[in-house]
Amino acid sequence: MEHTDLLIVGAGAAGIAAAKGAYEAGCTSITLVDRKEAMGGVLLQCAHCGFGKQLTGPEYAAQLGKAFPKDIAFVPSTTVLRVSSDKIARLSGGKQLHFHQLILATGCREIPMGALPIAGTRPKGIYTAGQLQEMVNLHQFRPEGPAVILGSGDLGLIMANHLSDQGLHVTLVEQKSSCTGMARNRVCLKKPLVSLLCGTTITEVLGEETIEGCITQTGTVLPCKTLVIAVGLRPERTLAEHLGNPPWLHLCGNCDRIHPMVETVIGQGKQAGIAAYETMRGTL
Ligand SMILES: Cc1cc2nc3c(=O)[nH]c(=O)nc-3n(C[C@H](O)[C@H](O)[C@H](O)COP(=O)(O)OP(=O)(O)OC[C@H]3O[C@@H](n4cnc5c(N)ncnc54)[C@H](O)[C@@H]3O)c2cc1C
């Protein structure tokens, strides 16, 4: 069985920073695995400017990848399926990899519609925000309007901006008394195609095959052909659930906690890389 001193799962901003941090600290055997073909994680689907010095997500990912040391083994298009307490990772394709230290940088999951108390069937036209962002920005999918977005946090606002740019009327529905996203994302609320409905939520979807509308808690019917669920993100730690808290396991990025800004992910990833290497050397 092959061995690596440091296995990093996830090559988003956190995993890339962790790999570089460990490498710069002196670690010479590092393997970075991602289920996607390219490094960058969620950055690759973010077409908006807002990363570092006003770069788009793909531009920022390209900058991160540029200075990536050649000595770090990057294994693309490979999913880590399971990690056991005897420090063996099972990868898709049947390969197994023994490691000394493990960094999970697996990002986050969106809260899906199924987790919400919304009545009605599940017709076509309902997406989570990240899923729709990927379809629109990477696969040229064009959703039909009008659109309703549940949740006015940053993800909801970014999608309101994208969809209104494509000419769709968008209604953001927010259960709190005001919009919850950052000021810089709130600028989309000034667009004539975007409206915000606060103090309510969606309790029912209408339509059999394709969505036709939503009903709010206050009884308002909002006709729509697209419903976007943007109610939050949860750290993705499925691989670690059964492991407890062994000293060889390190978490970073959105897998540890949800970070709204990529710079904090980079800083935390780098620290995780250094800590993993120091733990291996017995100096931590
Ligand atoms: C929609 C959105 C907009 C944002 N906008 C901004 C912004 O404007 N400005 C800003 O500074 N920050 C922004 N952020 C925040 C920041 O970009 C992210 O927090 C950061 O990029 C997350 O990095 P990550 O490495 O933790 O996770 P991710 O980028 O999600 O990377 C996780 C990686 O793990 C891989 N993976 C997961 N499980 C496995 C497995 N079992 N096996 C193999 N690979 C696996 C995934 O394929 C993925 O590549 C935004 C975040 C989102 C979601």
Side-chain angles (χ1 to χ4, degrees), residues 135-169:
M135 289 161 72
V136 168
N137 291 344
L138 299 183
H139 307 293
Q140 287 73 50
F141 175 71
R142 293 289 165 260
E144 283 187 74
V148 169
I149 300 180
L150 180 59
S152 71
D154 293 315
L155 257 166
L157 291 172
I158 288 166
M159 287 316 293
N161 201 29
H162 279 328
L163 298 183
S164 57
D165 278 351
Q166 293 181 5
L168 270 64
H169 278 93

mmCIF file of all heavy atoms in Angstrom, residues 135-169:
data_model
loop_
_atom_site.group_PDB
_atom_site.id
_atom_site.type_symbol
_atom_site.label_atom_id
_atom_site.label_comp_id
_atom_site.label_asym_id
_atom_site.label_seq_id
_atom_site.Cartn_x
_atom_site.Cartn_y
_atom_site.Cartn_z
ATOM 1 N N MET A 135 -24.474 25.519 -12.194
ATOM 2 C CA MET A 135 -25.126 25.255 -13.483
ATOM 3 C C MET A 135 -25.093 26.487 -14.388
ATOM 4 O O MET A 135 -24.869 26.400 -15.592
ATOM 5 C CB MET A 135 -26.583 24.807 -13.264
ATOM 6 C CG MET A 135 -26.692 23.412 -12.673
ATOM 7 S SD MET A 135 -28.310 23.122 -11.914
ATOM 8 C CE MET A 135 -29.352 22.989 -13.347
ATOM 9 N N VAL A 136 -25.327 27.659 -13.791
ATOM 10 C CA VAL A 136 -25.375 28.910 -14.569
ATOM 11 C C VAL A 136 -23.971 29.321 -15.019
ATOM 12 O O VAL A 136 -23.739 29.635 -16.182
ATOM 13 C CB VAL A 136 -26.030 30.030 -13.721
ATOM 14 C CG1 VAL A 136 -25.830 31.393 -14.359
ATOM 15 C CG2 VAL A 136 -27.518 29.754 -13.545
ATOM 16 N N ASN A 137 -23.017 29.299 -14.074
ATOM 17 C CA ASN A 137 -21.684 29.844 -14.386
ATOM 18 C C ASN A 137 -20.764 28.865 -15.107
ATOM 19 O O ASN A 137 -19.885 29.281 -15.844
ATOM 20 C CB ASN A 137 -21.000 30.323 -13.103
ATOM 21 C CG ASN A 137 -21.682 31.548 -12.531
ATOM 22 O OD1 ASN A 137 -22.453 32.205 -13.219
ATOM 23 N ND2 ASN A 137 -21.419 31.858 -11.285
ATOM 24 N N LEU A 138 -20.947 27.583 -14.875
ATOM 25 C CA LEU A 138 -20.032 26.620 -15.503
ATOM 26 C C LEU A 138 -20.660 25.826 -16.640
ATOM 27 O O LEU A 138 -19.963 25.275 -17.471
ATOM 28 C CB LEU A 138 -19.481 25.630 -14.455
ATOM 29 C CG LEU A 138 -18.666 26.237 -13.313
ATOM 30 C CD1 LEU A 138 -18.130 25.131 -12.406
ATOM 31 C CD2 LEU A 138 -17.514 27.078 -13.833
ATOM 32 N N HIS A 139 -21.983 25.734 -16.661
ATOM 33 C CA HIS A 139 -22.620 24.884 -17.682
ATOM 34 C C HIS A 139 -23.647 25.641 -18.526
ATOM 35 O O HIS A 139 -24.488 25.020 -19.185
ATOM 36 C CB HIS A 139 -23.252 23.655 -17.015
ATOM 37 C CG HIS A 139 -22.285 22.899 -16.146
ATOM 38 N ND1 HIS A 139 -21.200 22.216 -16.654
ATOM 39 C CD2 HIS A 139 -22.211 22.762 -14.807
ATOM 40 C CE1 HIS A 139 -20.517 21.676 -15.655
ATOM 41 N NE2 HIS A 139 -21.108 21.998 -14.524
ATOM 42 N N GLN A 140 -23.576 26.960 -18.492
ATOM 43 C CA GLN A 140 -24.418 27.830 -19.336
ATOM 44 C C GLN A 140 -25.914 27.523 -19.240
ATOM 45 O O GLN A 140 -26.670 27.718 -20.183
ATOM 46 C CB GLN A 140 -23.983 27.745 -20.819
ATOM 47 C CG GLN A 140 -22.672 28.433 -21.143
ATOM 48 C CD GLN A 140 -21.474 27.662 -20.617
ATOM 49 O OE1 GLN A 140 -21.379 26.468 -20.860
ATOM 50 N NE2 GLN A 140 -20.590 28.321 -19.890
ATOM 51 N N PHE A 141 -26.368 27.044 -18.078
ATOM 52 C CA PHE A 141 -27.795 26.791 -17.881
ATOM 53 C C PHE A 141 -28.520 28.136 -17.731
ATOM 54 O O PHE A 141 -28.009 29.053 -17.098
ATOM 55 C CB PHE A 141 -27.982 25.936 -16.621
ATOM 56 C CG PHE A 141 -29.413 25.709 -16.238
ATOM 57 C CD1 PHE A 141 -30.224 24.887 -16.999
ATOM 58 C CD2 PHE A 141 -29.959 26.320 -15.112
ATOM 59 C CE1 PHE A 141 -31.554 24.678 -16.652
ATOM 60 C CE2 PHE A 141 -31.289 26.123 -14.758
ATOM 61 C CZ PHE A 141 -32.076 25.293 -15.532
ATOM 62 N N ARG A 142 -29.693 28.262 -18.340
ATOM 63 C CA ARG A 142 -30.454 29.502 -18.234
ATOM 64 C C ARG A 142 -31.793 29.215 -17.557
ATOM 65 O O ARG A 142 -32.710 28.692 -18.192
ATOM 66 C CB ARG A 142 -30.691 30.113 -19.627
ATOM 67 C CG ARG A 142 -29.416 30.597 -20.300
ATOM 68 C CD ARG A 142 -28.879 31.862 -19.610
ATOM 69 N NE ARG A 142 -27.510 32.161 -19.978
ATOM 70 C CZ ARG A 142 -26.430 31.887 -19.242
ATOM 71 N NH1 ARG A 142 -26.537 31.274 -18.091
ATOM 72 N NH2 ARG A 142 -25.221 32.220 -19.633
ATOM 73 N N PRO A 143 -31.914 29.530 -16.266
ATOM 74 C CA PRO A 143 -33.188 29.254 -15.579
ATOM 75 C C PRO A 143 -34.295 30.189 -16.070
ATOM 76 O O PRO A 143 -34.008 31.271 -16.588
ATOM 77 C CB PRO A 143 -32.853 29.537 -14.103
ATOM 78 C CG PRO A 143 -31.673 30.428 -14.129
ATOM 79 C CD PRO A 143 -30.926 30.166 -15.402
ATOM 80 N N GLU A 144 -35.538 29.742 -15.880
ATOM 81 C CA GLU A 144 -36.682 30.569 -16.312
ATOM 82 C C GLU A 144 -37.142 31.489 -15.185
ATOM 83 O O GLU A 144 -37.061 31.131 -14.010
ATOM 84 C CB GLU A 144 -37.857 29.657 -16.679
ATOM 85 C CG GLU A 144 -37.703 29.001 -18.038
ATOM 86 C CD GLU A 144 -38.973 28.264 -18.402
ATOM 87 O OE1 GLU A 144 -39.982 28.925 -18.739
ATOM 88 O OE2 GLU A 144 -38.964 27.022 -18.329
ATOM 89 N N GLY A 145 -37.622 32.649 -15.526
ATOM 90 C CA GLY A 145 -38.152 33.573 -14.536
ATOM 91 C C GLY A 145 -39.664 33.558 -14.552
ATOM 92 O O GLY A 145 -40.261 32.971 -15.456
ATOM 93 N N PRO A 146 -40.300 34.183 -13.584
ATOM 94 C CA PRO A 146 -39.681 34.853 -12.445
ATOM 95 C C PRO A 146 -39.082 33.851 -11.451
ATOM 96 O O PRO A 146 -39.439 32.673 -11.461
ATOM 97 C CB PRO A 146 -40.850 35.619 -11.810
ATOM 98 C CG PRO A 146 -42.089 34.947 -12.299
ATOM 99 C CD PRO A 146 -41.777 34.291 -13.589
ATOM 100 N N ALA A 147 -38.166 34.374 -10.614
ATOM 101 C CA ALA A 147 -37.503 33.512 -9.633
ATOM 102 C C ALA A 147 -37.794 34.005 -8.223
ATOM 103 O O ALA A 147 -37.920 35.207 -7.995
ATOM 104 C CB ALA A 147 -35.997 33.525 -9.875
ATOM 105 N N VAL A 148 -37.901 33.044 -7.313
ATOM 106 C CA VAL A 148 -37.996 33.371 -5.883
ATOM 107 C C VAL A 148 -36.761 32.791 -5.215
ATOM 108 O O VAL A 148 -36.366 31.654 -5.510
ATOM 109 C CB VAL A 148 -39.292 32.774 -5.261
ATOM 110 C CG1 VAL A 148 -39.266 32.881 -3.746
ATOM 111 C CG2 VAL A 148 -40.518 33.485 -5.812
ATOM 112 N N ILE A 149 -36.126 33.577 -4.368
ATOM 113 C CA ILE A 149 -34.957 33.086 -3.627
ATOM 114 C C ILE A 149 -35.293 33.105 -2.151
ATOM 115 O O ILE A 149 -35.663 34.150 -1.611
ATOM 116 C CB ILE A 149 -33.711 33.964 -3.910
ATOM 117 C CG1 ILE A 149 -33.383 33.946 -5.413
ATOM 118 C CG2 ILE A 149 -32.518 33.480 -3.093
ATOM 119 C CD1 ILE A 149 -32.175 34.780 -5.812
ATOM 120 N N LEU A 150 -35.202 31.961 -1.510
ATOM 121 C CA LEU A 150 -35.469 31.886 -0.079
ATOM 122 C C LEU A 150 -34.161 32.092 0.673
ATOM 123 O O LEU A 150 -33.249 31.265 0.578
ATOM 124 C CB LEU A 150 -36.085 30.522 0.271
ATOM 125 C CG LEU A 150 -36.418 30.298 1.752
ATOM 126 C CD1 LEU A 150 -37.406 31.335 2.272
ATOM 127 C CD2 LEU A 150 -36.978 28.902 1.965
ATOM 128 N N GLY A 151 -34.055 33.221 1.379
ATOM 129 C CA GLY A 151 -32.834 33.544 2.131
ATOM 130 C C GLY A 151 -32.126 34.723 1.490
ATOM 131 O O GLY A 151 -31.853 34.707 0.284
ATOM 132 N N SER A 152 -31.850 35.749 2.310
ATOM 133 C CA SER A 152 -31.199 36.945 1.760
ATOM 134 C C SER A 152 -29.792 37.118 2.327
ATOM 135 O O SER A 152 -29.312 38.230 2.481
ATOM 136 C CB SER A 152 -32.040 38.192 2.056
ATOM 137 O OG SER A 152 -31.973 38.478 3.441
ATOM 138 N N GLY A 153 -29.131 35.997 2.648
ATOM 139 C CA GLY A 153 -27.720 36.047 3.028
ATOM 140 C C GLY A 153 -26.880 36.265 1.776
ATOM 141 O O GLY A 153 -27.422 36.508 0.683
ATOM 142 N N ASP A 154 -25.562 36.146 1.921
ATOM 143 C CA ASP A 154 -24.676 36.441 0.782
ATOM 144 C C ASP A 154 -24.968 35.565 -0.432
ATOM 145 O O ASP A 154 -24.993 36.047 -1.561
ATOM 146 C CB ASP A 154 -23.216 36.305 1.214
ATOM 147 C CG ASP A 154 -22.852 37.380 2.216
ATOM 148 O OD1 ASP A 154 -23.229 38.543 1.973
ATOM 149 O OD2 ASP A 154 -22.254 37.055 3.252
ATOM 150 N N LEU A 155 -25.197 34.266 -0.184
ATOM 151 C CA LEU A 155 -25.474 33.367 -1.315
ATOM 152 C C LEU A 155 -26.736 33.776 -2.067
ATOM 153 O O LEU A 155 -26.764 33.812 -3.298
ATOM 154 C CB LEU A 155 -25.668 31.956 -0.782
ATOM 155 C CG LEU A 155 -24.515 30.988 -0.954
ATOM 156 C CD1 LEU A 155 -24.729 29.761 -0.084
ATOM 157 C CD2 LEU A 155 -24.391 30.582 -2.402
ATOM 158 N N GLY A 156 -27.787 34.104 -1.305
ATOM 159 C CA GLY A 156 -29.048 34.521 -1.915
ATOM 160 C C GLY A 156 -28.869 35.808 -2.712
ATOM 161 O O GLY A 156 -29.373 35.933 -3.839
ATOM 162 N N LEU A 157 -28.130 36.745 -2.149
ATOM 163 C CA LEU A 157 -27.925 38.034 -2.830
ATOM 164 C C LEU A 157 -27.086 37.856 -4.101
ATOM 165 O O LEU A 157 -27.367 38.473 -5.135
ATOM 166 C CB LEU A 157 -27.224 39.017 -1.891
ATOM 167 C CG LEU A 157 -28.065 39.504 -0.693
ATOM 168 C CD1 LEU A 157 -27.191 40.318 0.257
ATOM 169 C CD2 LEU A 157 -29.251 40.340 -1.161
ATOM 170 N N ILE A 158 -26.057 37.010 -4.024
ATOM 171 C CA ILE A 158 -25.206 36.788 -5.207
ATOM 172 C C ILE A 158 -26.053 36.178 -6.332
ATOM 173 O O ILE A 158 -25.962 36.578 -7.492
ATOM 174 C CB ILE A 158 -23.998 35.881 -4.840
ATOM 175 C CG1 ILE A 158 -23.008 36.681 -3.975
ATOM 176 C CG2 ILE A 158 -23.306 35.339 -6.080
ATOM 177 C CD1 ILE A 158 -21.956 35.835 -3.282
ATOM 178 N N MET A 159 -26.943 35.245 -5.955
ATOM 179 C CA MET A 159 -27.797 34.641 -6.991
ATOM 180 C C MET A 159 -28.824 35.643 -7.518
ATOM 181 O O MET A 159 -29.143 35.642 -8.712
ATOM 182 C CB MET A 159 -28.502 33.386 -6.441
ATOM 183 C CG MET A 159 -27.577 32.201 -6.260
ATOM 184 S SD MET A 159 -26.450 31.929 -7.640
ATOM 185 C CE MET A 159 -27.573 31.460 -8.949
ATOM 186 N N ALA A 160 -29.320 36.526 -6.649
ATOM 187 C CA ALA A 160 -30.271 37.555 -7.105
ATOM 188 C C ALA A 160 -29.578 38.447 -8.134
ATOM 189 O O ALA A 160 -30.173 38.830 -9.148
ATOM 190 C CB ALA A 160 -30.755 38.373 -5.915
ATOM 191 N N ASN A 161 -28.330 38.742 -7.879
ATOM 192 C CA ASN A 161 -27.559 39.573 -8.796
ATOM 193 C C ASN A 161 -27.382 38.873 -10.150
ATOM 194 O O ASN A 161 -27.652 39.442 -11.206
ATOM 195 C CB ASN A 161 -26.202 39.865 -8.143
ATOM 196 C CG ASN A 161 -25.563 41.088 -8.737
ATOM 197 O OD1 ASN A 161 -26.258 41.999 -9.195
ATOM 198 N ND2 ASN A 161 -24.259 41.105 -8.772
ATOM 199 N N HIS A 162 -26.944 37.598 -10.109
ATOM 200 C CA HIS A 162 -26.739 36.820 -11.350
ATOM 201 C C HIS A 162 -28.033 36.732 -12.172
ATOM 202 O O HIS A 162 -28.049 36.965 -13.364
ATOM 203 C CB HIS A 162 -26.386 35.358 -11.029
ATOM 204 C CG HIS A 162 -24.951 35.123 -10.683
ATOM 205 N ND1 HIS A 162 -23.913 35.842 -11.192
ATOM 206 C CD2 HIS A 162 -24.380 34.187 -9.891
ATOM 207 C CE1 HIS A 162 -22.782 35.383 -10.710
ATOM 208 N NE2 HIS A 162 -23.031 34.385 -9.912
ATOM 209 N N LEU A 163 -29.130 36.348 -11.483
ATOM 210 C CA LEU A 163 -30.378 36.074 -12.213
ATOM 211 C C LEU A 163 -30.988 37.359 -12.774
ATOM 212 O O LEU A 163 -31.505 37.364 -13.890
ATOM 213 C CB LEU A 163 -31.385 35.342 -11.307
ATOM 214 C CG LEU A 163 -30.922 33.962 -10.805
ATOM 215 C CD1 LEU A 163 -32.012 33.298 -9.978
ATOM 216 C CD2 LEU A 163 -30.516 33.039 -11.943
ATOM 217 N N SER A 164 -30.887 38.456 -12.027
ATOM 218 C CA SER A 164 -31.428 39.724 -12.544
ATOM 219 C C SER A 164 -30.579 40.221 -13.711
ATOM 220 O O SER A 164 -31.099 40.833 -14.644
ATOM 221 C CB SER A 164 -31.540 40.779 -11.448
ATOM 222 O OG SER A 164 -30.283 40.992 -10.850
ATOM 223 N N ASP A 165 -29.267 39.933 -13.688
ATOM 224 C CA ASP A 165 -28.414 40.276 -14.841
ATOM 225 C C ASP A 165 -28.888 39.555 -16.104
ATOM 226 O O ASP A 165 -28.667 40.013 -17.215
ATOM 227 C CB ASP A 165 -26.950 39.856 -14.585
ATOM 228 C CG ASP A 165 -26.204 40.881 -13.750
ATOM 229 O OD1 ASP A 165 -26.762 41.979 -13.531
ATOM 230 O OD2 ASP A 165 -25.080 40.580 -13.305
ATOM 231 N N GLN A 166 -29.509 38.395 -15.911
ATOM 232 C CA GLN A 166 -30.014 37.632 -17.067
ATOM 233 C C GLN A 166 -31.434 38.034 -17.436
ATOM 234 O O GLN A 166 -32.094 37.358 -18.234
ATOM 235 C CB GLN A 166 -29.971 36.139 -16.757
ATOM 236 C CG GLN A 166 -28.557 35.618 -16.621
ATOM 237 C CD GLN A 166 -28.523 34.131 -16.334
ATOM 238 O OE1 GLN A 166 -29.548 33.454 -16.330
ATOM 239 N NE2 GLN A 166 -27.338 33.613 -16.112
ATOM 240 N N GLY A 167 -31.942 39.075 -16.770
ATOM 241 C CA GLY A 167 -33.264 39.600 -17.127
ATOM 242 C C GLY A 167 -34.411 38.978 -16.355
ATOM 243 O O GLY A 167 -35.580 39.224 -16.680
ATOM 244 N N LEU A 168 -34.138 38.174 -15.321
ATOM 245 C CA LEU A 168 -35.220 37.537 -14.553
ATOM 246 C C LEU A 168 -35.693 38.466 -13.438
ATOM 247 O O LEU A 168 -34.875 39.131 -12.791
ATOM 248 C CB LEU A 168 -34.723 36.240 -13.910
ATOM 249 C CG LEU A 168 -34.859 34.939 -14.691
ATOM 250 C CD1 LEU A 168 -34.019 34.979 -15.952
ATOM 251 C CD2 LEU A 168 -34.425 33.757 -13.840
ATOM 252 N N HIS A 169 -37.011 38.510 -13.197
ATOM 253 C CA HIS A 169 -37.538 39.176 -12.011
ATOM 254 C C HIS A 169 -37.253 38.270 -10.819
ATOM 255 O O HIS A 169 -37.493 37.061 -10.898
ATOM 256 C CB HIS A 169 -39.059 39.371 -12.135
ATOM 257 C CG HIS A 169 -39.421 40.570 -12.944
ATOM 258 N ND1 HIS A 169 -39.655 40.499 -14.285
ATOM 259 C CD2 HIS A 169 -39.558 41.875 -12.595
ATOM 260 C CE1 HIS A 169 -39.925 41.709 -14.732
ATOM 261 N NE2 HIS A 169 -39.860 42.565 -13.737
#
